[in-house]
Amino acid sequence: MPLRFLRLRAWLGRRTSTQLAAGIAVMAAVALTGSLIATGAAVRMDQREKAALAALDDYSTMVEKLRIEASLTAADITPADAAYLSAWLSAFQDGPARDAGSLEKTCSTGQGGAGVRFIRAPVGKPAGLAALETTRGERAPRLGEGVHVLRLDRGVLCPARAVEVVVVRRSVGALDIAVGRVVDRSGGAWGWAVAAVAAAGVLLLAFGLTAATFARRRLTSAVADVSRALDLASVGDFSVRAPETAVAPELTELTGRVNLTLDRLEELLSWLRDSADQLAHDFRTPLARASARLDRLKEMATTPEARALAEEARSDLTRLTRAMNEAMTLRDGEAWVFETVRLDRLAASAAELYQPLAEERGAMIRVEASPVSVLGVRSLLQRAVTNLVDNAVKFSPDGGVVTLTVRLEDGKPVLSVADQGPGLDPELLDDPARAISRAADEGRESHGMGLAFVRAILKRHGAAMTIDDAGPGAVVTARFSR
């Protein structure tokens, strides 16, 4: 397949239906205009040919009427002959001519056909329209030998209009003769044809642009319905479906598939919720029993080591229960309410909450925040921020600084929490999942489920989490897409 064709197809593939419809309408209007111009040029040439034939006929008639005077040489002609020729030309100019309209009619209506003449003898004054000799014109050999096309400006032949004249310039004996005919401007039929084609082009362009606008609005409305259903589904609301019979027939199949996908997602999420409820029910009772038994074991312990071990086991169960509750919170998507949340205020609130703990560890918390808002669930975002601050404070050394930064980067909200602790293995920085797993294996736990919980919340809000080396320490950055 030729490369040019592939490029054209790729270019057309990037155009919208509205642009294509408008382009077709414009091309059709241009084609009509081009055909009108070509037809006009053809008609103009035909009119010039008719005028040339009439001028040649007039020339022949004029030479025939001159008779013996046409054979006079420059040595034979006298001033009396020149005066005679002038008077004769005036009479010939004003006399009737075959298939020719009067000069007055041509000048008043613009219709061609009027004849004009000029004659010059070696002696005496020339007679007729001098502009036929002095005006430079375009040679037209295809119309005949010695034929020229002249444009006579307004006032030269007609006082109120410019005309086009086809002139035959030839010499007969000692006489220079120019015989011309005014070219018809267009004619009534041609004028109506031009008006009809122009009106058709305007109507076609208007209809094309109107159709393009209607198609655009129809597609926009249909896409808006599909987008609304998907947007609501993205926040856990599956109550809305795309219209089965789309406003735009082109999207009917698409809306049907979108609805099938939403139905399947709702079914899967319902199954996941039921499974989570069952798991929570199955775990709560054993966890409660284990906690009660550990409390009794702690009371019955006879050595400090046994009591410490029971306390540690009790603490592990508490963290496990808290993690399970947070997981249940994440799955309750239908209960979330998305609203505008100020990230800078969440950062300030988390800093204020953890400042006493930071001071106990000899660290400090610094907030560098600009007013930045995101769309999300306030309670979940608050938990994510506090978890990040909790991690940073726990791993900060004495005199360390935890820095919370909220800013806009390329127009998108960004929140980062940096500490000056031991940081993470450089090999794990490109893989947050492995970093989270390694931290858990090393016993570096945080509030609840820690970074895994934070990442789940951020993903639910359309944000990406990265972990980088702060040199020293680590910096966790959340970049929101909206």
Side-chain angles (χ1 to χ4, degrees):
M1 188 175 295
L3 181 60
R4 291 183 179 179
F5 178 77
L6 293 176
R7 289 178 177 175
L8 176 61
R9 188 171 68 176
W11 184 85
L12 291 174
R14 293 191 296 271
R15 304 280 80 80
T16 64
S17 299
T18 302
Q19 291 173 334
L20 292 177
I24 292 173
V26 172
M27 289 175 62
V30 170
L32 280 176
T33 304
S35 65
L36 183 63
I37 294 174
T39 304
V43 170
R44 174 64 63 185
M45 181 56 66
D46 180 68
Q47 292 168 337
R48 286 179 178 178
E49 289 178 352
K50 290 180 179 179
L53 291 175
L56 289 169
D57 190 32
D58 289 347
Y59 174 81
S60 300
T61 302
M62 188 173 178
V63 171
E64 181 181 354
K65 290 183 178 295
L66 281 172
R67 295 179 182 176
I68 188 63
E69 287 81 0
S71 62
L72 293 175
T73 64
D76 297 335
I77 197 167
T78 64
D81 294 328
Y84 167 76
L85 291 172
S86 178
W88 178 86
L89 180 63
S90 298
F92 188 83
Q93 175 75 16
D94 296 334
R98 182 177 56 191
D99 299 328
S102 67
L103 183 60
E104 292 78 8
K105 182 179 179 182
T106 294
C107 290
S108 62
T109 65
Q111 294 180 355
V116 288
R117 282 88 176 173
F118 175 80
I119 186 170
R120 175 187 291 277
V123 296
K125 294 182 178 180
L129 184 63
L132 298 182
E133 181 186 45
T134 59
T135 303
R136 297 185 62 182
E138 175 187 353
R139 294 179 60 86
R142 62 173 298 178
L143 298 179
E145 181 182 355
V147 178
H148 298 74
V149 179
L150 310 181
R151 175 179 171 80
L152 302 182
D153 295 331
R154 184 173 58 182
V156 176
L157 179 62
C158 297
R161 71 174 70 246
V163 295
E164 187 178 69
V165 181
V166 175
V167 179
V168 178
R169 293 174 178 171
R170 293 180 182 176
S171 297
V172 179
L175 305 178
D176 293 329
I177 299 175
V179 181
R181 282 291 186 104
V182 178
V183 179
D184 194 352
R185 294 183 62 188
S186 61
W190 170 243
W192 283 109
V194 171
V197 173
V202 172
L203 288 176
L204 182 60
L205 181 60
F207 287 153
L209 295 177
T210 301
T213 302
F214 173 75
R216 178 179 180 276
R217 291 183 177 178
R218 187 174 68 173
L219 285 173
T220 301
S221 176
V223 171
D225 290 337
V226 176
S227 298
R228 178 171 176 269
L230 293 175
D231 287 342
L232 291 175
S234 68
V235 296
D237 185 356
F238 291 89
S239 61
V240 176
R241 293 290 186 273
E244 289 293 343
T245 303
V247 178
E250 302 93 329
L251 297 182
T252 300
E253 183 178 356
L254 174 63
T255 55
R257 294 186 178 276
V258 167
N259 288 338
L260 287 175
T261 302
L262 292 179
D263 291 341
R264 181 57 177 164
L265 286 175
E266 185 177 23
E267 180 183 352
L268 291 174
L269 287 177
S270 177
W271 178 82
L272 287 175
R273 292 188 187 107
D274 293 341
S275 300
D277 289 340
Q278 185 62 42
L279 286 174
H281 180 270
D282 293 341
F283 274 103
R284 279 195 181 102
T285 301
L287 286 174
R289 289 176 180 174
S291 297
R293 290 171 180 173
L294 283 173
D295 290 338
R296 291 176 58 190
L297 180 61
K298 180 180 178 181
E299 293 175 357
M300 297 173 60
T302 57
T303 62
E305 291 79 6
R307 284 193 294 271
L309 186 59
E311 182 62 29
E312 290 177 1
R314 183 67 171 81
S315 178
D316 290 339
L317 288 179
T318 300
R319 281 193 291 269
L320 182 59
T321 302
R322 185 181 301 163
M324 184 184 67
N325 291 334
E326 289 181 346
M328 293 298 294
T329 301
L330 284 176
R331 81 96 168 120
D332 287 333
E334 71 276 6
W336 296 354
V337 177
F338 274 62
E339 58 184 331
T340 301
V341 180
R342 288 278 297 272
L343 284 180
D344 55 307
R345 293 179 180 174
L346 292 185
S349 176
E352 182 180 0
L353 177 64
Y354 279 88
Q355 186 61 46
L357 178 60
E359 292 175 353
E360 289 181 3
R361 300 181 60 88
M364 65 173 295
I365 301 177
R366 183 173 59 193
V367 179
E368 300 175 355
S370 302
V372 176
S373 299
V374 297
L375 186 65
V377 182
R378 183 182 302 275
S379 60
L380 290 180
L381 289 175
Q382 182 71 66
R383 291 189 186 188
V385 175
T386 53
N387 271 7
L388 293 177
V389 176
D390 180 81
N391 273 343
V393 170
K394 283 184 178 180
F395 295 108
S396 290
D398 292 341
V401 178
V402 176
T403 304
L404 280 75
T405 304
V406 179
R407 66 186 184 280
L408 285 176
E409 189 174 290
D410 296 331
K412 301 296 181 63
V414 176
L415 180 144
S416 64
V417 179
D419 61 56
Q420 297 178 335
L424 293 173
D425 186 343
E427 296 181 357
L428 302 177
L429 293 179
D430 295 331
D431 192 345
R434 288 183 60 199
I436 294 169
S437 177
R438 176 68 64 84
D441 293 341
E442 295 175 355
R444 291 159 50 183
E445 299 176 5
S446 61
H447 179 70
M449 294 175 66
L451 292 179
F453 178 68
V454 172
R455 186 173 62 166
I457 291 178
L458 294 179
K459 186 176 181 181
R460 186 65 183 83
H461 287 78
M465 186 183 79
T466 58
I467 305 174
D468 301 294
D469 185 12
V475 54
V476 180
T477 304
R479 289 182 171 83
F480 291 82
S481 60
R482 55 189 178 184

